[in-house]
Amino acid sequence: ADAMATDVLPWFRRSYAISADPLDHVVGGFSIGANTAFFLALRHPEVFGSVLSQDGTPGVGRALPQMFIDGPKSHLRVYMVHSVYNLPDTSVDEIATLKDTLGSGPRLRDVLLAKGHDVTYREAGGTHDWLYVRSTLPDALMALLPARASTPQ
């Protein structure tokens, strides 16, 4: 997280004409990458102001709500999409033990809203796969990077 904030993004700023506004810096991921994106934004909200979470990993995601509860006050723009068929590869007998992990997406959403973050939350009829992720990306980016009115020259 520190390397992304102190080395990678400054290099991009020196090399390209990119915005300095943290809300214009979207960090995102799919599955455990979504959880990593939340961690980056939690660790460096002054750099990463927008988070795209596509099917954050439920088992790992149990710690994220508590990290935001305990974390400093910040304002993030968040787009979360959670597949309703996001079940791990398990047997029918094991599914009963997953009750706690399956609710982690809505639980994290509720914590983020309570902390004052700007959250868009969607549930989609997909599964935990790349085809589903690809189909949700355009709406997510349009929500996170809204068009701005241009000023006349």
Side-chain angles (χ1 to χ4, degrees):
D2 294 339
M4 291 290 292
T6 61
D7 296 329
V8 176
L9 194 57
W11 177 84
F12 273 103
R13 283 190 182 136
R14 287 190 307 272
S15 302
Y16 302 98
I18 63 171
S19 170
D21 185 348
L23 289 175
D24 291 337
H25 302 158
V26 178
V27 61
F30 165 68
S31 192
I32 199 165
N35 297 51
T36 303
F38 273 119
F39 179 76
L40 285 169
L42 182 64
R43 176 94 175 165
H44 289 285
E46 77 285 359
V47 177
F48 304 108
S50 296
V51 177
L52 168 55
S53 170
Q54 294 175 302
D55 255 356
T57 306
V60 177
R62 288 181 289 188
L64 278 173
Q66 192 62 49
M67 290 172 71
F68 275 96
I69 289 169
D70 296 340
K73 180 77 172 149
S74 66
H75 179 74
L76 298 175
R77 184 182 298 146
V78 177
Y79 189 97
M80 296 176 72
V81 62
H82 190 74
S83 66
V84 294
Y85 303 112
N86 187 12
L87 289 175
D89 294 328
T90 59
S91 70
V92 174
D93 294 333
E94 292 172 310
I95 290 176
T97 65
L98 297 172
K99 188 183 284 186
D100 184 49
T101 64
L102 294 177
S104 64
R107 185 171 38 244
L108 178 57
R109 173 205 58 205
D110 294 345
V111 167
L112 292 170
L113 287 170
K115 291 286 278 191
H117 299 290
D118 178 9
V119 179
T120 301
Y121 179 84
R122 301 281 186 261
E123 289 183 346
T127 60
H128 196 73
D129 62 42
W130 290 106
L131 179 63
Y132 151 73
V133 169
R134 191 172 82 179
S135 70
T136 63
L137 188 59
D139 286 341
L141 291 177
M142 286 188 289
L144 291 172
L145 299 170
R148 295 183 181 167
S150 61
T151 56
Q153 298 292 337

